[in-house]
Amino acid sequence: MWKKINGKDMFKKVLIANRGEVAVRIIRACREIGIPTVAVYSQADANSLHVSLATEAYCIGPNESSKSYLNIPAIISAALVSGADAIHPGYGFMSERADFAEICEEHNIKFIGPSPESMKLMGDKATARKTMSSKNVPITPGTGIITDIEEAKKEAEKFGYPVIVKATAGGGGKGMRVANNPEELEQNITLCRQEAEKFFGNPDVYMEKYLVNPRHIEVQIIADRFGNVVHLGERDCSIQRRHQKLVEEAPSPAVSDDVRKKLGEAAVRAAKAANYEGVGTIEFLLDKDKNFYFMEMNTRLQVEHGISEMISNIDIVREQINIAAGNPLSFKQEDIKLYGHAIECRINAEDPERNFLPAPGEINGYIPPGGFGVRVDSHVYSGYKIPPYYDSLISKVMCWAPTREEARRRMYRALKEYVITGVKTTLPFYQDLIEDEVFISGNFDTGFMNTYKQNK
Ligand code: MV4
């Protein structure tokens, strides 16, 4: 089953159960380690870069995700036929499906990620809150699962309106409703329960005090199966639109060395509480007084992991594969030196002038930026047809420099030299945003996009 590479236990072959830029990112890490890769693809993705970069490739179904990238029997069959002994789920698709991780286990295939138990624990938000609170990770004032509406109203009076009702099976902004008074609370509990039952098959809801326009701060952690846990500092993901992140940066302009240390220690306690193995992210909200509160844990590699790699010089995907193969972490917390500043813009095939309407089609001209401190992670090329069936991410432009202002100016330069023709993209939107005075100041929060107007 196993082989050794450079004295480390390593997989013989890794199947990547994903597409797009993240599939390419994982194939690159595998190739550098020396592991052959298996790509799986839908009919729409036959000409995709991950298919040509992998050692071998299998078509697992038609265009729709539900029949291809979410098709468990097809993915497992491809792993068994090809002899892959591990599956990397990337992000999205199968990445947070505990049932899929269990099925992998049953077939003696290593799911590159945490145990199904850790995924279930963190997938249930009310249980996650309880677990965090018991290990001194700060949480917002709130309740457990609401069983009685009158009691919920009494609780809400205690910590004060506004409150937010959340589905325990929700997350990432799905299944949440803000209430400003007892009448709205009663309504929202009922509505939230109905939606939660419909979307997640679990009607349980709880509530928290609602923080108005906090910052979204998340801490990258890496844990091995021997109980070693380290953090790579925080990312600030406050600039988002409808729960889609637009710009991320590391470190956060709002976090001092002192708060960073406390955030990092809280994140490590959180990972230990979940008996966590692999790479993960602890999401916090930060209020105006720099108090932070645990929100959720993302039990997967994240889209924005690259900016943490830039400030830490640690290859997070390589480390993730190492750990999954049973090796201990190759460094300690004190070996990690964070240096400089990194900013990421997610470039999408969307029309910023039409309310970010998806704009699939053929890219007929493509010149990505380059130069010192610039990284572009992408799966596209000149002549590539962006299919309409999946998310519209074209690429992630990441810029590193010693200071935030230098990184920001480098990003402006990179965005200005980037050419993508044939489809509408969000490039013009970012070229404008990166010069916005509020963005330049670093003094913004999750309300940024509500007041931001392009070319104001
Ligand atoms: C909150 C909140 C304010 N107060 N919880 C949205 C995503 C999910 N992870 C948690 N979310 C929020 N939870 C309390 N108690 C505000 C949000 C929120 C938000 C959080 C991060 C980034 C953007 C956001 C946009 C709207 C609401």
Side-chain angles (χ1 to χ4, degrees):
M1 206 56 184
W2 304 79
K3 64 175 180 181
K4 290 256 181 195
I5 296 182
N6 292 332
K8 284 183 172 158
D9 283 326
M10 200 35 75
F11 302 116
K12 280 192 307 197
K13 204 184 260 191
V14 172
L15 181 145
I16 296 95
N18 214 304
R19 62 179 302 281
E21 69 86 21
V22 73
V24 171
R25 170 73 186 88
I26 297 159
I27 291 168
R28 285 175 172 154
C30 288
R31 181 150 289 166
E32 288 177 13
I33 299 171
I35 315 169
T37 52
V38 182
V40 293
Y41 62 98
S42 68
Q43 282 172 347
D45 276 339
N47 295 319
S48 231
L49 196 57
H50 76 285
V51 174
S52 45
L53 283 181
T55 319
E56 56 191 303
Y58 296 84
C59 184
I60 51 166
N63 306 340
E64 303 93 302
S65 302
S66 61
K67 295 178 178 167
S68 50
Y69 298 105
L70 296 171
N71 181 344
I72 296 180
I75 297 167
I76 297 287
S77 301
L80 295 176
V81 165
S82 63
D85 50 1
I87 295 183
H88 196 309
Y91 52 71
F93 297 126
M94 308 308 294
S95 63
E96 293 187 286
R97 291 271 302 266
D99 59 335
F100 179 67
E102 272 167 356
I103 293 168
C104 288
E105 251 176 32
E106 284 161 16
H107 290 83
N108 272 323
I109 299 164
K110 173 64 186 168
F111 175 84
I112 301 181
S115 69
E117 291 70 34
S118 298
M119 290 164 83
K120 282 182 207 159
L121 170 68
M122 289 305 181
D124 187 274
K125 308 300 164 191
T127 311
R129 267 170 67 82
K130 244 192 245 158
T131 310
M132 291 307 128
S133 167
S134 76
K135 303 287 177 188
N136 281 325
V137 179
I139 59 171
T140 47
T143 66
I145 304 297
I146 296 172
T147 50
D148 181 282
I149 290 194
E150 290 312 312
E151 200 167 315
K153 286 181 184 168
K154 276 185 209 151
E155 290 284 331
E157 295 300 336
K158 275 192 220 158
F159 41 80
Y161 288 93
V163 300
I164 182 166
V165 181
K166 296 183 177 182
T168 192
K174 283 181 229 122
M176 309 185 332
R177 280 171 178 271
V178 178
N180 292 294
N181 52 55
E183 294 72 46
E184 284 184 10
L185 178 59
E186 177 156 0
Q187 269 183 347
N188 285 352
I189 290 172
T190 306
L191 285 169
C192 211
R193 274 183 181 150
Q194 287 168 359
E195 287 170 356
E197 172 68 55
K198 188 170 153 208
F199 290 112
F200 315 117
N202 175 357
D204 290 346
V205 301
Y206 65 100
M207 78 180 158
E208 297 175 22
K209 177 157 187 65
Y210 182 69
L211 308 180
V212 180
N213 292 342
R215 288 181 87 117
H216 172 130
I217 306 289
E218 55 183 40
V219 180
Q220 178 72 55
I221 62 98
I222 313 183
D224 67 20
R225 65 179 63 166
F226 308 102
N228 305 303
V229 186
V230 298
H231 71 86
L232 303 185
E234 81 287 357
R235 297 184 285 259
D236 192 318
C237 310
S238 298
I239 300 188
Q240 48 76 45
R241 182 181 171 276
R242 298 183 181 170
H243 303 293
Q244 290 292 318
K245 291 166 187 164
L246 297 172
V247 182
E248 304 102 348
E249 59 182 297
S252 167
V255 171
S256 63
D257 288 346
D258 176 54
V259 173
R260 175 164 309 110
K261 190 159 178 286
K262 292 186 174 126
L263 272 166
E265 287 165 359
V268 168
R269 284 201 301 280
K272 287 185 173 166
N275 202 4
Y276 198 82
E277 176 193 318
V279 308
T281 300
I282 322 287
E283 192 182 301
F284 297 96
L285 297 187
L286 183 76
D287 71 14
K288 303 277 178 291
D289 300 322
K290 313 283 177 187
N291 301 305
F292 59 83
Y293 306 93
F294 169 84
M295 279 293 112
E296 29 191 274
M297 179 169 190
N298 298 312
T299 57
R300 60 166 191 280
L301 179 73
Q302 283 193 276
V303 177
E304 59 271 25
H305 73 278
I307 54 173
S308 298
E309 297 184 319
M310 283 178 131
I311 63 161
S312 68
N313 248 314
I314 288 168
D315 183 332
I316 293 173
V317 179
R318 182 188 184 101
E319 213 50 51
Q320 183 185 28
I321 295 167
N322 262 329
I323 285 165
N327 300 293
L329 265 174
S330 52
F331 45 80
K332 298 191 177 62
Q333 189 67 53
E334 54 267 32
D335 301 327
I336 299 166
K337 294 275 177 285
L338 303 181
Y339 181 61
H341 200 99
I343 304 176
E344 169 172 283
C345 293
R346 298 187 186 187
I347 312 301
N348 281 4
E350 291 172 358
D351 186 350
E353 288 181 2
R354 286 193 196 169
N355 206 21
F356 294 82
L357 187 76
E362 182 172 335
I363 294 177
N364 54 30
Y366 187 71
I367 311 172
F372 187 78
V374 179
R375 167 174 168 187
V376 182
D377 274 20
S378 180
H379 61 295
V380 314
Y381 50 84
S382 198
Y384 175 72
K385 274 202 189 72
I386 301 165
Y389 310 104
Y390 319 105
D391 75 6
S392 50
L393 187 69
I394 292 176
S395 70
K396 307 183 298 196
V397 182
M398 294 163 257
C399 290
W400 178 92
T403 66
R404 182 177 193 268
E405 181 58 12
E406 289 166 293
R408 188 191 68 78
R409 293 172 74 108
R410 181 165 282 161
M411 180 61 81
Y412 186 73
R413 183 276 282 176
L415 294 173
K416 283 288 185 187
E417 87 186 42
Y418 204 168
V419 179
I420 307 172
T421 57
V423 296
K424 291 270 192 212
T425 77
T426 49
L427 262 177
F429 164 80
Y430 285 107
Q431 289 164 352
D432 190 85
L433 185 149
I434 219 76
E435 291 281 83
D436 176 74
E437 58 181 40
V438 177
F439 180 74
I440 293 173
S441 77
N443 187 17
F444 49 77
D445 56 40
T446 50
F448 179 86
M449 282 300 288
N450 300 332
T451 47
Y452 174 76
K453 290 283 172 293
Q454 204 168 348
N455 301 316
K456 66 173 168 243

